[in-house]
């Protein structure tokens, strides 16, 4: 270039000293310029998630039904949530968002739900997802011979094909929680259509599933006995919500807590969940994140006033509730990994500096005794409260029935201790869980029952508290009867207005708290150990452990730096 040739000629005319000075300042100018460009570039760069990385999780139990219609264990649900996808999905904020669906519409009368599928959504084998797959899945869920745990969700629902990408669901009556049913994973009809109901549970596709979810099977490792022990998954690049950033995800099965802890210590797994809180003391989690979320289940003592007449007296129920040191139960039984339950639904996690000051057990017992004294009860020579009228003497005596799970037994014995100190005569009856369900809960043969209720994402409490659900298979184990509460429960199901639902729900909770049909005690935490290198993991209130994967496609390990202008808002 002429300008460069001219500079070169000028430089050749420099003396040696002048050349040294010239080159010195040229180097400084060049370095300064490059440094300035680097800083400018750096200011415009931001770190964003990138594809790559691997994650290995340990779970307790062996998979049997990796199938949205049959999954009934935590490990089944874990793998099903990763491999299958539904029309809608619930994200980590418990918001329903489209998954396979492009849109959904609800008719003005709340009876017809119309859903349109996205274009170009596929199963892992490359076949396109169509309305036929949706209809097939729902009809199989409704098949009584299949005995799917999802059957009751679809009773009386008519599903129709509008066109290849549109389906409608028609309800017999308004039922606002129905929208949650659309999160059901969709089966590929072309694979399952020849399987009759009797063969359905034995199909190879229950352990070698093909879905349309964020992950697909890469390969499976089997134990010496031929049981799948490791599922090696890879991200599905045609997933409806976009390819998952973490490209390899492995789920390893272990038989018990001891084995999974051993695997953690041997660094065979990166994360896990499902162990007793008391075992965390022996685990080094300094290089990992310990994530906590309240499980959407409430444990309490449900009072059967038909069996134990003494519980009919409201001052007795109020005194028992007042004397219950719930924080002590959480500290002793759950090693602190839980939160107080004061009503029929779990509360959100409260920050440490916002935790209410817990009253001492002595203070609670004194207040409870005063409630009984004001109600006409007096302590006898044995310290047990009793109430006399002209003909009879009623002793404050009843039993607590519960299952043989360690946490339930410990909680029952601690409640017995607290209530005995108050002045009640309390007997604890422990049953094997199958015996408890069949011979105690089903026929309602208990004075009080220490048990847990799993509350779904729809917060539909109808089966737990409506008077029509007092007998099995209803779940109203407190045998609660309140006409106002019944109307509120019915209104919650009928209305599609979120504001109205909220108002009805708040009134319902107040009504239940006022009547004290149960002594609510605690909500346990879900404890999830996750490696520090995995970013954007968000877990909040969970109905079951598999919901930790609600936003798994957004988790990431690898990152990249790009200019801000290339990032979509």
């Amino acid at each position: 270039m002429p300008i460069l040739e001219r500079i070169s000629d000028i430089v050749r005319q420099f003396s040696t000293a002048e050349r040294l000075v010239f080159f010195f300042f040229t180097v400084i100018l060049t370095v300064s310029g490059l440094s300035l460009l680097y800083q400018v570039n750096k200011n415009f760069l931001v770190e964003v998630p990138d594809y790559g990385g691997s994650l290995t999780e340990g779970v307790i139990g062996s998979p049997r039904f990796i199938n949205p219609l049959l999954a009934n264990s935590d490990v089944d649900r874990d793998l099903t949530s990763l491999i299958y996808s539904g029309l809608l999905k619930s994200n980590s904020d418990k918001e329903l968002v489209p998954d396979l669906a492009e849109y959904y519409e609800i008719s003005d009368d709340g009876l017809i739900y119309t859903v349109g599928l996205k274009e170009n959504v596929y199963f892992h084998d490359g076949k396109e997802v169509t309305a036929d797959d949706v209809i097939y899945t729902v009809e199989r869920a409704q098949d009584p011979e299949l005995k799917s745990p999802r059957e009751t969700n679809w009773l009386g629902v008519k599903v129709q094909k509008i066109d290849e990408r549109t389906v409608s669901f028609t309800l017999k009556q308004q039922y606002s929680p129905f929208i949650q049913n659309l999160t059901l994973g969709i089966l590929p009809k072309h694979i399952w259509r020849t399987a009759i109901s009797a063969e359905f549970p034995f199909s190879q596709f229950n352990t070698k599933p093909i879905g349309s979810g964020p992950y697909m099977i890469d390969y499976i490792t089997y134990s010496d006995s031929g049981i799948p022990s490791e599922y090696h998954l890879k991200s599905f690049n045609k997933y409806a919500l976009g390819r998952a950033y973490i490209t390899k995800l492995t789920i390893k099965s272990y038989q018990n807590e001891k084995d999974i802890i051993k695997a953690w210590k041997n660094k065979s797994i990166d994360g896990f969940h499902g162990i007793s809180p008391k075992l965390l003391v022996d685990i080094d989690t300094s290089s990992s994140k310990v994530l906590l979320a309240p499980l959407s289940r409430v444990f309490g003592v449900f009072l059967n006033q038909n069996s134990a007449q003494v519980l009919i007296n409201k001052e007795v129920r109020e005194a028992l509730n007042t004397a219950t040191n719930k924080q002590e139960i959480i500290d002793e039984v759950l090693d602190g990994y839980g939160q107080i339950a004061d009503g029929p639904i779990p509360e959100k996690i409260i920050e440490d500096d916002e935790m209410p000051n817990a009253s001492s057990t002595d203070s609670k017992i004194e207040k409870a005794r005063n409630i009984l004294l004001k109600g006409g009860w007096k302590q006898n020579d044995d310290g047990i409260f009793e109430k006399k009228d002209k003909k009879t003497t009623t002793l404050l005596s009843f039993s607590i029935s519960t299952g043989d799970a360690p946490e339930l037994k410990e909680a029952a014995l601690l409640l017995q201790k607290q209530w005995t100190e108050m002045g009640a005569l309390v007997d604890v009856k422990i049953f094997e869980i199958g015996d408890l369900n069949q011979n105690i809960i089903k026929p309602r043969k208990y004075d009080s029952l220490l048990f847990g209720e799993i509350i779904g994402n729809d917060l539909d409490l109808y089966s737990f508290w409506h008077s029509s659900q007092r007998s099995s298979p209803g779940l109203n184990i407190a045998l609660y009867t309140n006409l106002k509460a019944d109307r509120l429960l019915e209104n919650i199901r009928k209305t599609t207005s979120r504001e109205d639902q909220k108002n009805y729900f708040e009134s319902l909770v107040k009504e239940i708290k006022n009547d004290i049909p149960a002594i609510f005690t605690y909500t346990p935490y879900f404890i999830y150990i996750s490696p520090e290198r995995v970013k954007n993991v968000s877990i909040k209130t969970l109905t079951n452990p598999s919901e930790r994967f609600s936003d798994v496609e957004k988790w990431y390990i690898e990152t990249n730096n790009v200019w801000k202008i290339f990032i979509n808002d």
Side-chain angles (χ1 to χ4, degrees):
M1 295 178 63
I3 185 66
L4 292 178
E5 291 179 359
R6 186 170 182 180
I7 292 173
S8 178
D9 290 340
I10 294 172
V11 170
R12 278 196 293 268
Q13 296 176 20
F14 287 168
S15 65
T16 301
E18 289 173 332
R19 287 181 185 179
L20 288 174
V21 172
F22 174 80
F23 286 121
F24 173 75
F25 283 107
T26 300
V27 170
I28 290 178
L29 180 62
T30 302
V31 171
S32 299
L34 291 174
S35 177
L36 180 62
L37 287 174
Y38 172 78
Q39 290 298 327
V40 170
N41 184 59
K42 186 177 179 180
N43 288 335
F44 280 96
L45 288 176
V46 292
E47 187 177 82
V48 296
D50 201 1
Y51 298 104
S54 64
L55 173 65
T56 301
E57 283 209 10
V59 296
I60 295 175
S62 299
R64 185 181 177 191
F65 296 118
I66 309 173
N67 183 320
L69 299 185
L70 300 177
N72 57 13
S73 69
D74 283 344
V75 63
D76 284 349
R77 286 187 283 264
D78 280 355
L79 286 161
T80 297
S81 68
L82 292 167
I83 293 171
Y84 286 93
S85 56
L87 296 172
L88 306 179
K89 67 173 289 186
S90 178
N91 62 21
S92 60
D93 292 319
K94 298 303 171 193
E95 299 170 334
L96 283 178
V97 296
D99 194 342
L100 293 173
E102 179 72 33
Y103 69 90
Y104 67 91
E105 297 172 348
I106 305 174
S107 62
D108 293 338
D109 60 8
L111 297 179
I112 301 175
Y113 292 69
T114 304
V115 182
L117 288 169
K118 293 175 180 173
E119 293 184 5
N120 302 317
V121 285
Y122 298 92
F123 290 108
H124 298 154
D125 62 358
K127 299 290 185 180
E128 190 169 4
V129 181
T130 68
D132 291 330
D133 299 300
V134 177
I135 293 171
Y136 174 81
T137 301
V138 173
E139 288 178 345
R140 295 318 299 262
Q142 294 173 324
D143 183 357
E145 293 185 18
L146 189 61
K147 297 179 180 179
S148 167
R150 316 294 178 263
E151 180 184 355
T152 55
N153 295 344
W154 295 95
L155 288 176
V157 177
K158 182 179 179 181
V159 56
Q160 287 181 299
K161 178 179 177 179
I162 307 301
D163 57 43
E164 286 300 314
R165 293 196 299 112
T166 312
V167 292
S168 69
F169 305 91
T170 304
L171 282 58
K172 291 184 177 179
Q173 59 186 17
Q174 289 180 334
Y175 179 59
S176 59
F178 172 79
I179 192 70
Q180 292 284 341
N181 293 354
L182 302 184
T183 62
L184 177 70
I186 302 301
L187 295 173
K189 179 181 178 180
H190 64 278
I191 286 175
W192 286 94
R193 62 185 172 189
T194 59
I196 62 175
S197 297
E199 299 172 343
F200 210 81
F202 305 102
S203 170
Q204 64 170 329
F205 295 113
N206 286 316
T207 52
K208 297 179 180 178
I210 294 175
S212 56
Y215 284 90
M216 61 186 293
I217 293 177
D218 191 6
Y219 64 95
I220 304 171
T221 301
Y222 295 85
S223 66
D224 293 338
S225 57
I227 297 174
S229 60
E230 297 179 10
Y231 274 83
H232 299 263
L233 311 177
K234 60 183 180 180
S235 57
F236 180 42
N237 59 9
K238 291 184 179 180
Y239 174 49
L241 296 180
R243 184 185 179 194
Y245 287 115
I246 299 177
T247 53
K248 294 183 179 180
L249 177 55
T250 301
I251 303 293
K252 290 187 177 183
S253 295
Y254 297 92
Q255 295 307 307
N256 50 53
E257 293 178 330
K258 181 181 177 181
D259 289 345
I260 205 168
I261 290 173
K262 182 179 178 181
W264 168 258
K265 291 181 177 179
N266 293 339
K267 301 187 184 303
S268 298
I269 56 177
D270 301 318
F272 63 92
H273 74 92
I275 69 169
S276 171
K278 293 187 176 181
L279 294 178
L280 284 179
V281 179
D282 301 323
I283 300 174
D284 179 13
T285 58
S286 58
S287 60
S288 301
K289 294 177 287 191
V290 180
L291 302 175
L292 303 177
L295 284 168
S296 189
R297 52 195 69 175
V298 173
F299 285 81
V301 181
F302 298 86
L303 308 175
N304 184 351
Q305 299 175 39
N306 292 348
S307 176
Q309 297 292 309
V310 68
L311 299 174
I312 293 175
N313 300 281
K314 186 174 181 180
E315 70 270 11
V316 170
R317 304 195 302 276
E318 186 179 355
L320 291 171
N321 190 46
T322 301
T324 304
N325 191 330
K326 301 175 184 183
Q327 190 60 51
E328 183 182 24
I329 297 173
I330 292 169
D331 293 340
E332 295 293 327
V333 178
L334 303 179
D335 209 35
Y337 289 98
Q339 64 185 32
I340 289 173
D342 282 323
I345 59 168
E347 302 292 337
K348 294 181 180 179
I349 288 182
I350 302 173
E351 299 296 335
D352 290 342
D353 58 354
E354 297 178 357
M355 287 292 289
N357 294 322
S359 302
S360 67
T361 299
D362 291 342
S363 173
K364 288 176 174 292
I365 288 173
E366 189 61 34
K367 289 178 181 178
R369 286 174 178 165
N370 288 333
I371 291 170
L372 290 170
L373 290 170
K374 288 179 181 178
W377 294 76
K378 294 182 179 180
Q379 285 181 285
N380 61 24
D381 294 339
D382 295 323
I384 308 300
F385 275 98
E386 60 183 21
K387 190 173 187 179
K388 297 181 179 180
D389 57 25
K390 293 180 180 180
K391 296 182 180 180
T392 61
T393 298
T394 302
L395 194 67
L396 208 175
S397 174
F398 62 96
S399 64
I400 303 174
S401 297
T402 195
D404 57 359
E407 291 176 2
L408 289 175
K409 288 193 292 185
E410 287 183 52
L413 293 173
L414 195 50
L415 284 165
Q416 180 191 43
K417 173 178 173 289
Q418 293 174 0
W419 291 346
T420 298
E421 289 180 18
M422 179 195 74
L425 182 61
V426 182
D427 182 28
V428 173
K429 298 180 179 180
I430 307 295
F431 299 89
E432 184 274 326
I433 194 66
D435 185 26
L436 180 73
N437 285 323
Q438 189 65 28
N439 300 316
I440 305 300
I441 298 178
K442 190 174 181 179
R444 307 299 197 247
K445 290 183 178 180
Y446 49 84
D447 291 347
S448 68
L449 176 70
L450 174 59
F451 207 63
E453 293 183 337
I454 300 176
I455 314 300
N457 291 331
D458 53 20
L459 296 181
D460 182 15
L461 301 181
Y462 185 94
S463 60
F464 297 119
W465 297 104
H466 196 276
S467 60
S468 66
Q469 304 299 302
R470 287 174 293 170
S471 300
S472 181
L475 301 175
N476 185 350
I477 52 179
L479 283 75
Y480 182 56
T481 302
N482 180 311
L483 293 178
K484 182 178 179 181
D486 283 353
R487 287 195 297 271
L488 289 167
L489 286 161
E490 292 160 8
N491 289 339
I492 290 170
R493 282 190 157 196
K494 290 177 181 178
T495 183
T496 56
S497 164
R498 292 196 173 187
E499 186 62 32
D500 288 343
Q501 283 181 339
K502 180 183 177 183
N503 293 335
Y504 290 143
F505 197 81
E506 289 176 352
S507 297
L508 172 67
V509 171
K510 288 179 182 178
E511 199 70 21
I512 293 173
K513 285 184 177 182
N514 180 63
D515 288 339
I516 321 176
I519 312 300
F520 301 106
T521 52
Y522 64 85
T523 292
Y525 284 164
F526 172 75
I527 306 169
Y528 183 36
I529 311 300
S530 177
E532 285 285 357
R533 72 176 191 278
V534 179
K535 308 299 182 184
N536 207 28
V537 180
S538 175
I539 59 171
K540 297 179 182 178
T541 303
L542 306 180
T543 302
N544 61 70
S546 68
E547 291 181 2
R548 70 189 186 279
F549 293 131
S550 293
D551 290 333
V552 69
E553 74 278 2
K554 298 178 182 178
W555 297 4
Y556 65 92
I557 296 173
E558 302 296 333
T559 60
N560 199 355
N561 292 316
V562 300
W563 279 30
K564 294 178 183 178
I565 59 174
F566 295 115
I567 297 177
N568 294 322
D569 293 330

